[in-house]
Amino acid sequence: MSWGTELWDQFDNLDKHTQWGIDFLEKYAKFVKERIEIEQNYAKQLRNLVKKYCPKRSSKDEEPRFTSCIAFYNILNELNDYAGQREVVAEELGHRVYGELMRYSHELKTERKMHLQEGRKAQQYLDMCWKQMDNSKKKFERECREAEKAQQCFERLDNDTNATKADVEKAKQQLNLRTHMADENKNEYAAQLQNFNGEQHKHFYIVIPQIYKHLQEMDERRTIKLSECYKGFADSERRVIPIVSKCLEGMTAAAKSVDERRDSQIVIDSFKSGFEPPGDFPFEDYSQHIYRTVSDGTISTPKQEGVKIDAKTTVGKAKGKLWLFGKKPKGPAQEDFSHLPPEQRRKKLQQRIDELNRELQKETDQKDALIKMKDVYEKNPQMGDPSSLQPKLAETMSNMDRLRMEIHKNEAWLTEVEGKVAARGDRRHSSDINHLVTQGRESPEGSYTDDANQEVRSPPQQHGPHNEFDDEFEDDDPLPAIGHCKAIYPFDGHNEGTLAMKEGEILYIIEEDKGDGWTRARRQNGEEGYVPTSYIDVTLEKNSKGAVTYI
């Protein structure tokens, strides 16, 4: 059974089969890798579980004394050892199986490529021999036809009485020439045919069987390697079975060590007082010296007045309409972005400066290229006129000057914005929000203030005229607060749905920024609206003051 003799004409199929074999080997390697990841994750989760439930003993008095607790902690120790064995399995699979498979796969690819190249070269050489033989055959066939034509021409002239002797002699010479050339091509064709037959026999009986034999041996080695890896996969698990069995035996022993009577005795020893239970109280009769004038005595119980419970009050609807884009922003966009908040303005200016720098770099590169081209034209006038580049060079220089001026102007604006932001930041750090919340007190309206003698009252809520959009944005119940914020900058809030605020004012956050630059906030009096996210310092918390019901 040999591929060289049985599959001598199946080169393409053997190519596909050997590629499939390598793909299957890599597929199994991927399976082993995923199994390794599962083992590693399983061991990690087991160790985290053990760590979570292990006792954190800070003193000797807190050590577990009950047998059930001791057994549980022993089981945790055994489980930790078991997790270590899962890590050993993962390590064994990684080194002995996965690593070996990847190394062998690389070797197979290299060997397969070499054998297939040899097969293609042999086939190309055989095709070349066949082409040489076919060309010599066609040439021999063509010369034979020419010789036949020359013979017919000679016979026709020889039989023609009107033909001259010179014509007959010339036809005879042509016939001899064609006959000689036909004989030479015949010998050439015979030699090429003999050579091709020899090469073909060598190709199909020696070269191809040898190449296919190497491919067969390579594929059989791949199959043997897979068998060894299958066995190694099982052996990695089998090696840890003794230790895993000891871990399980330790868990069983811990379970058997639980003694309910001993635990009960520990409870008695821990809480027993040593006193005897109290005896019966004697009856003491205080009616010996009392003479009743009535036959019946009644005991009355005074009525208790019912306590009137105040009805629970709820917060009314927020009448403010939360419609951010009901009106367009006032005023057109400014060149220096002064219509934007400071942080957004800083980002826009920085973005514009980066774009201008990129354009300046392009113009600089273009100027350098023009200068080099001008030098080339000056050294080689036949290539072009140097003066023709002067207008383009002047235009480039003008663009560079313009871009530098734009960059300088935008950098001045950026410096101005960064200076203002830094000044605001210093003031923000000087009055920290946590200190304000903990040291301040709450005013009757619920606002915080630093001064105990001064209360910061929020401005009253202003209700606009009711229209068709009010019903869409009114909520039956107020949203719970998810944190609080402090205004870093003042905000006038002219647009509908926005909330005006003063610098340093405290608001409750009821909805985070969804990516549009606006955060929904609420005052202590229940007034709600949107404020710019860049204008506030946000602190999110689960149980903030705004989460309670306002009365």
Side-chain angles (χ1 to χ4, degrees):
M1 181 183 65
S2 173
W3 288 5
T5 56
E6 303 291 338
L7 304 175
W8 61 272
D9 57 344
Q10 299 297 321
F11 181 83
D12 293 337
N13 288 330
L14 290 180
D15 183 6
K16 295 178 181 179
H17 173 74
T18 51
Q19 181 61 46
W20 170 86
I22 295 177
D23 292 342
F24 183 78
L25 184 74
E26 293 180 344
K27 182 178 181 180
Y28 178 69
K30 183 179 179 181
F31 161 77
V32 175
K33 181 180 179 181
E34 293 182 2
R35 167 67 189 279
I36 292 172
E37 292 175 353
I38 291 174
E39 291 289 349
Q40 291 174 343
N41 293 332
Y42 180 45
K44 182 179 179 180
Q45 292 175 0
L46 285 179
R47 291 193 182 276
N48 291 336
L49 182 66
V50 171
K51 184 178 180 181
K52 179 179 179 181
Y53 286 95
C54 271
K56 298 179 180 179
R57 296 190 290 266
S58 58
S59 64
K60 197 171 183 179
D61 296 336
E62 297 180 4
E63 292 184 1
R65 296 176 294 168
F66 296 100
T67 57
S68 57
C69 294
I70 296 174
F72 175 64
Y73 297 144
N74 290 335
I75 289 175
L76 289 178
N77 292 331
E78 296 294 342
L79 187 61
N80 190 57
D81 294 339
Y82 176 79
Q85 295 308 305
R86 304 322 307 172
E87 292 174 347
V88 171
V89 171
E91 186 177 357
E92 288 286 329
L93 290 176
H95 291 301
R96 296 178 178 243
V97 181
Y98 179 73
E100 184 67 19
L101 283 173
M102 296 307 296
R103 181 191 62 79
Y104 193 70
S105 174
H106 179 71
E107 294 179 357
L108 283 181
K109 290 179 180 179
T110 304
E111 184 178 357
R112 173 180 174 274
K113 181 179 180 180
M114 179 186 68
H115 293 324
L116 292 179
Q117 286 179 349
E118 291 177 355
R120 292 189 181 95
K121 288 180 180 179
Q123 185 64 41
Q124 291 174 359
Y125 179 71
L126 183 65
D127 293 341
M128 182 189 68
C129 293
W130 180 84
K131 288 180 180 180
Q132 292 177 353
M133 183 271 296
D134 187 61
N135 290 335
S136 62
K137 176 182 176 182
K138 291 178 180 179
K139 190 175 181 181
F140 171 61
E141 182 181 3
R142 185 173 60 252
E143 292 298 332
C144 287
R145 286 196 299 268
E146 293 294 333
E148 289 178 358
K149 290 180 182 179
Q151 184 176 3
Q152 292 175 1
C153 181
F154 171 73
E155 291 177 353
R156 180 172 52 80
L157 290 175
D158 189 39
N159 295 327
D160 189 2
T161 56
N162 295 325
T164 62
K165 186 176 180 181
D167 293 337
V168 173
E169 188 65 24
K170 183 177 179 181
K172 184 176 180 181
Q173 292 178 356
Q174 186 69 21
L175 173 61
N176 293 333
L177 178 62
R178 290 296 180 184
T179 303
H180 178 71
M181 292 180 64
D183 292 338
E184 289 183 351
N185 283 281
K186 178 180 180 181
N187 296 332
E188 177 69 18
Y189 168 60
Q192 292 293 338
L193 179 62
Q194 183 179 3
N195 180 65
F196 173 74
N197 289 332
E199 294 295 337
Q200 181 176 252
H201 183 275
K202 179 182 178 182
H203 177 80
F204 288 110
Y205 288 95
I206 299 176
V207 179
I208 287 298
Q210 188 70 21
I211 294 174
Y212 286 4
K213 179 182 178 182
H214 292 159
L215 289 174
Q216 181 179 359
E217 292 175 351
M218 180 194 72
D219 192 69
E220 290 175 354
R221 290 198 308 272
R222 176 192 61 83
T223 306
I224 295 173
K225 178 60 70 173
L226 277 175
S227 175
E228 294 175 353
C229 290
Y230 294 159
K231 184 175 180 297
F233 187 86
D235 290 340
S236 299
E237 191 77 28
R238 186 180 292 110
R239 288 189 186 95
V240 301
I241 288 179
I243 301 179
V244 170
S245 299
K246 290 182 179 179
C247 294
L248 298 177
E249 290 174 1
M251 295 180 185
T252 304
K256 292 180 179 179
S257 66
V258 177
D259 188 352
E260 69 279 7
R261 293 291 182 180
R262 183 178 177 184
D263 287 355
S264 298
Q265 186 61 41
I266 291 175
V267 175
I268 293 173
D269 296 340
S270 299
F271 304 110
K272 182 177 180 181
S273 64
F275 295 108
E276 294 292 333
D280 297 336
F281 282 88
F283 178 75
E284 299 180 11
D285 189 2
Y286 297 99
S287 63
Q288 297 177 0
H289 306 289
I290 299 176
Y291 299 95
R292 299 189 179 184
T293 59
V294 293
S295 59
D296 269 333
T298 59
I299 300 175
S300 62
T301 304
K303 293 183 179 180
Q304 296 181 355
E305 294 182 359
V307 180
K308 185 178 180 180
I309 302 175
D310 294 337
K312 184 179 180 181
T313 60
T314 59
V315 179
K317 297 180 180 178
K319 298 298 183 181
K321 184 170 60 175
L322 305 177
W323 185 258
L324 278 179
F325 307 105
K327 295 181 180 179
K328 294 183 179 179
K330 297 181 180 179
Q334 301 296 327
E335 182 185 5
D336 60 351
F337 302 112
S338 58
H339 63 288
L340 296 177
E343 183 62 23
Q344 296 182 15
R345 183 186 179 193
R346 185 187 66 79
K347 292 180 180 178
K348 288 287 187 181
L349 288 172
Q350 186 63 51
Q351 182 179 359
R352 179 187 288 175
I353 290 173
D354 294 340
E355 292 176 356
L356 292 173
N357 282 325
R358 285 194 291 269
E359 293 180 8
L360 179 61
Q361 183 62 39
K362 289 182 181 178
E363 295 293 337
T364 304
D365 295 341
Q366 185 175 359
K367 183 199 72 172
D368 295 340
L370 290 173
I371 292 175
K372 290 181 180 179
M373 189 179 297
K374 184 179 179 181
D375 293 340
V376 173
Y377 286 176
E378 290 176 351
K379 294 178 181 179
N380 302 293
Q382 69 275 9
M383 298 183 66
D385 185 10
S387 60
S388 62
L389 300 176
Q390 192 62 33
K392 185 64 176 177
L393 188 59
E395 180 184 356
T396 303
M397 297 293 290
S398 176
N399 291 338
M400 291 175 61
D401 293 338
R402 177 182 56 82
L403 290 173
R404 288 193 183 100
M405 292 177 62
E406 289 290 331
I407 292 173
H408 180 71
K409 180 171 61 175
N410 284 272
E411 285 178 347
W413 289 335
L414 181 62
T415 304
E416 177 186 356
V417 173
E418 289 177 345
K420 291 182 178 180
V421 171
R424 297 283 187 181
D426 293 340
R427 281 186 286 176
R428 179 178 61 187
H429 290 301
S430 64
S431 56
D432 187 78
I433 185 64
N434 294 327
H435 177 74
L436 177 63
V437 173
T438 56
Q439 299 297 331
R441 66 187 186 90
E442 189 177 355
S443 68
E445 288 80 6
S447 299
Y448 290 99
T449 176
D450 290 324
D451 191 356
N453 299 321
Q454 181 184 2
E455 293 177 352
V456 179
R457 296 181 178 269
S458 303
Q461 181 179 0
Q462 310 219 348
H463 303 287
H466 185 77
N467 55 34
E468 59 180 351
F469 294 104
D470 286 338
D471 296 334
E472 182 177 357
F473 293 97
E474 285 181 1
D475 298 328
D476 293 336
D477 295 322
L479 294 174
I482 59 175
H484 60 270
C485 67
K486 179 182 178 181
I488 306 175
Y489 310 104
F491 179 63
D492 52 10
H494 290 324
N495 291 340
E496 289 183 295
T498 59
L499 182 64
M501 61 182 181
K502 300 178 182 179
E503 181 178 354
E505 184 177 355
I506 303 299
L507 303 174
Y508 291 116
I509 302 298
I510 59 176
E511 186 176 334
E512 292 187 71
D513 187 355
K514 303 298 184 182
D516 54 2
W518 295 90
T519 300
R520 191 173 176 183
R522 178 197 294 144
R523 280 202 178 93
Q524 303 294 336
N525 60 0
E527 185 180 359
E528 298 179 0
Y530 286 92
V531 296
T533 305
S534 59
Y535 278 44
I536 56 177
D537 185 9
V538 179
T539 302
L540 297 180
E541 51 192 16
K542 294 184 179 178
N543 298 319
S544 66
K545 189 173 181 61
V548 301
T549 304
Y550 295 97
I551 305 300

